[in-house]
Amino acid sequence: MTNLLHRVEVSLRSFYIFNSSYGGREGQEHKKILFYHPDDIEINTKIKDVGLSEAIITFTDTFAEGTGCDILHTLKTTQIFLQPEDGFWCVMTLNVPKTVCSKQDEEYEDYRNGEIHDEIYRKVLQESYDRFCLQYGTFDTILNRTKNGLSIAQSKLREKLNIFYSEYVQSLNLPICDVTQFLRSVQYLPLSKTLFLRVHNFIQMVQATFPAIVDTLFLFNDQIVSGGKFEPSILFTMYNYIMSNRTLRRPQRLTEVIDFEGSRKIFLNRNNELVPFKIYHHCSSSASLYMYVKRSDNLSSETREDLETYIDAQLALLAYDIARFIVSHSKVLTLVNNAVEPEALIPRYLFVNEQTLKHISNIGNSKGEKLSPAVCQKSLPLHVVNLLIDSATTSKESNKDVAMPPFEEILIKSTTDFWIVKRQCNWRQFYVIIFNKKATLLDVTAEAERIFDQEVTDDVFFDK
């Protein structure tokens, strides 16, 4: 009889960035390495890891010219490769999760490679690069800004990579079990039409009165109310950056002395050009308004005073009205959910607009916070999350060259009695996850229809 002794979850083995064109001479191979985690590994091991990655990339390039290698699976590890810029490679190596079992008094390890979903960890690697670019600019931009020679420029790049990635790698909470991390979508705070229009009118008036403000982000209780004119993928990165930045989350008034200047400087892509911006933010009650100004148009203390006077009372009133709406709305939800089943039996739903990357969901969290593995498991089992990602990946690949994806409905049943119902139409995706051991196809379809009618009330979002 086989006994399960314990389980070891996926963990980060190494993370490194290199450029093969650096340190081309014998004895200078260490110059190729721009960042390596963990740092306490001896230099020869780092050089061997980078050399092996170079060999894998070169070998696979002979079969698919120009694309290199994306994923490498071995029994005990999974390697994810990303080439964000010409010559630069980011490599993340994961230890495959395993179970340690015993049979007839002998222990053995069973590696669960299938539990690591390639697509979600590729998105994690891409997001790490996007976050770096938001804070520091591209690798090439950093090199070109330094005028004291290539060697000094490379040292400057290494310094910035170490500052950013040393902290970012430590913040990774494995395993990644948040499906929105793969979709790169954000959840907006649902408001009444009147409140929504008031917020947008307030933002437009602020930008019209102070033309130096290029864009804004309005949050209430750390949830997005208005995402400004940011591209959806940039908004996802921007929101996660703010949620992980203590300086930008603490209560702040425009007239206060601004500390930690580095945490407020960002780079945004405007007309295919990376433009440096500075973030100003003002809080009133639970509402926060983040304002983006080009660094060349730095706001003076007098302008900040005028801006604070202009927005303070209006922002406070909006915060009060939004809070009242949420309280009244939550009372209705409490009445609806009084006869709730146990948490494991509560149907989960996820509605995604592929064009705006906006989602509505009761899966996991909606505030960009890191979920622990225990919370993840409580929300949805990892294998169900992987099934959701497989379904979303398939639809994206099949509709890559289609002007308008056709209507489709897919039903999936897992071996653990979880049902997934997926509907897709007009660039909208709708998922319902139901746990029921005795349900039939008709039961699951009827329940999915009920949830769709009950939860999707935003006509503009879903064109119902």
Side-chain angles (χ1 to χ4, degrees):
M1 182 179 176
T2 302
N3 296 315
L4 175 64
L5 300 180
H6 65 274
R7 175 183 169 84
V8 180
E9 293 291 349
V10 60
S11 60
L12 183 66
R13 185 186 185 92
S14 62
F15 187 110
Y16 49 91
I17 302 170
F18 67 91
N19 188 318
S20 297
S21 64
Y22 300 165
R25 295 181 182 179
E26 188 175 350
Q28 297 183 344
E29 292 85 357
H30 63 281
K31 293 184 177 180
K32 297 178 182 180
I33 306 170
L34 299 171
F35 172 79
Y36 193 102
H37 173 85
D39 187 50
D40 55 1
I41 301 295
E42 63 178 34
I43 189 64
N44 287 334
T45 302
K46 296 178 182 179
I47 292 171
K48 287 178 182 177
D49 284 348
V50 170
L52 179 59
S53 295
E54 288 180 296
I56 292 167
I57 292 165
T58 303
F59 176 72
T60 55
D61 198 43
T62 60
F63 300 98
E65 188 175 350
T67 59
C69 181
D70 291 328
I71 306 286
L72 175 67
H73 290 281
T74 66
L75 175 65
K76 298 182 180 181
T77 64
T78 295
Q79 273 192 314
I80 301 98
F81 297 81
L82 173 69
Q83 186 180 20
E85 301 177 35
D86 288 342
F88 293 94
W89 284 90
C90 303
V91 183
M92 179 165 63
T93 307
L94 302 172
N95 290 314
V96 171
K98 63 182 180 181
T99 54
V100 179
C101 305
S102 67
K103 187 175 184 179
Q104 296 177 353
D105 297 329
E106 290 187 10
E107 290 188 12
Y108 67 94
E109 297 174 335
D110 181 18
Y111 289 91
R112 320 285 258 177
N113 204 300
E115 292 185 12
I116 295 181
H117 201 290
D118 297 348
E119 293 299 326
I120 196 166
Y121 286 98
R122 285 175 64 183
K123 290 293 175 71
V124 169
L125 196 53
Q126 180 65 52
E127 174 64 11
S128 73
Y129 172 73
D130 292 343
R131 278 280 297 276
F132 178 86
C133 289
L134 181 74
Q135 294 179 235
Y136 297 98
T138 63
F139 300 163
D140 279 335
T141 301
I142 296 170
L143 293 172
N144 294 332
R145 279 204 308 262
T146 308
K147 305 297 183 182
N148 299 326
L150 183 60
S151 178
I152 301 297
Q154 290 175 4
S155 298
K156 193 72 175 176
L157 177 59
R158 284 191 182 90
E159 179 187 337
K160 292 187 181 296
L161 288 171
N162 272 285
I163 292 171
F164 173 79
Y165 277 102
S166 295
E167 182 179 346
Y168 187 86
V169 167
Q170 295 292 342
S171 71
L172 286 177
N173 195 6
L174 303 179
I176 305 294
C177 45
D178 183 4
V179 69
T180 60
Q181 182 77 37
F182 165 75
L183 296 168
R184 293 171 67 85
S185 59
V186 293
Q187 181 158 334
Y188 284 69
L189 180 66
L191 297 176
S192 66
K193 292 179 181 179
T194 304
L195 264 179
F196 181 77
L197 290 173
R198 280 180 57 194
V199 170
H200 276 263
N201 184 58
F202 164 68
I203 290 171
Q204 288 175 2
M205 291 297 292
V206 170
Q207 289 185 239
T209 309
F210 299 89
I213 300 173
V214 177
D215 216 333
T216 58
L217 178 63
F218 189 107
L219 302 183
F220 183 85
N221 279 342
D222 293 339
Q223 285 189 277
I224 297 176
V225 177
S226 171
K229 298 177 182 177
F230 291 110
E231 291 289 326
S233 58
I234 295 175
L235 179 60
F236 175 83
T237 303
M238 177 72 69
Y239 178 68
N240 284 335
Y241 167 62
I242 290 174
M243 288 297 100
S244 64
N245 190 307
R246 292 181 181 178
T247 306
L248 290 173
R249 292 188 70 184
R250 68 183 176 87
Q252 175 77 57
R253 301 185 71 83
L254 285 163
T255 51
E256 292 177 1
V257 177
I258 298 177
D259 300 320
F260 308 108
E261 290 289 323
S263 68
R264 299 172 177 275
K265 295 178 181 178
I266 59 169
F267 292 84
L268 295 176
N269 196 321
R270 294 283 168 174
N271 300 320
N272 295 322
E273 182 183 354
L274 212 58
V275 180
F277 278 79
K278 193 171 184 180
I279 304 177
Y280 293 89
H281 86 280
H282 184 80
C283 299
S284 183
S285 300
S286 299
S288 301
L289 182 64
Y290 295 85
M291 294 157 281
Y292 300 84
V293 178
K294 290 182 180 179
R295 287 188 208 173
S296 56
D297 299 329
N298 199 30
L299 298 184
S300 65
S301 57
E302 291 181 0
T303 305
R304 293 204 305 272
E305 286 180 12
D306 293 341
L307 180 56
E308 181 178 301
T309 303
Y310 184 83
I311 68 175
D312 194 38
Q314 297 183 70
L315 192 62
L317 182 59
L318 278 173
Y320 175 74
D321 290 341
I322 292 173
R324 284 184 59 193
F325 172 80
I326 292 173
V327 169
S328 63
H329 190 60
S330 63
K331 288 179 181 177
V332 174
L333 288 179
T334 303
L335 290 173
V336 171
N337 293 326
N338 265 341
V340 172
E341 310 119 300
E343 184 167 0
L345 302 180
I346 297 174
R348 307 288 178 178
Y349 58 83
L350 172 66
F351 313 134
V352 185
N353 185 322
E354 291 183 64
Q355 293 183 314
T356 63
L357 294 182
K358 173 184 175 183
H359 75 257
I360 301 171
S361 176
N362 66 350
I363 299 173
N365 71 321
S366 60
K367 295 186 179 181
E369 298 163 351
K370 301 293 183 183
L371 295 179
S372 68
V375 173
C376 247
Q377 187 71 18
K378 191 176 180 182
S379 178
L380 274 183
L382 186 59
H383 73 279
V384 177
V385 173
N386 287 345
L387 282 173
L388 281 172
I389 294 171
D390 281 335
S391 177
T393 304
T394 304
S395 70
K396 282 190 174 184
E397 290 176 352
S398 60
N399 295 321
K400 198 175 290 183
D401 301 317
V402 179
M404 181 67 73
F407 175 83
E408 67 177 19
E409 179 169 324
I410 300 173
L411 279 82
I412 304 169
K413 185 181 181 184
S414 73
T415 54
T416 52
D417 295 311
F418 277 90
W419 291 81
I420 298 175
V421 181
K422 175 194 173 184
R423 293 181 183 176
Q424 177 173 312
C425 186
N426 295 342
W427 300 107
R428 274 76 169 170
Q429 293 187 43
F430 161 51
Y431 300 88
V432 171
I433 302 95
I434 299 167
F435 178 77
N436 193 326
K437 293 184 177 182
K438 299 179 180 180
T440 64
L441 279 172
L442 288 175
D443 296 334
V444 171
T445 304
E447 179 67 0
E449 188 68 38
R450 182 190 68 79
I451 294 170
F452 183 78
D453 291 336
Q454 174 182 303
E455 302 295 341
V456 184
T457 57
D458 188 341
D459 296 343
V460 175
F461 181 56
F462 277 98
D463 298 335
K464 266 203 326 176

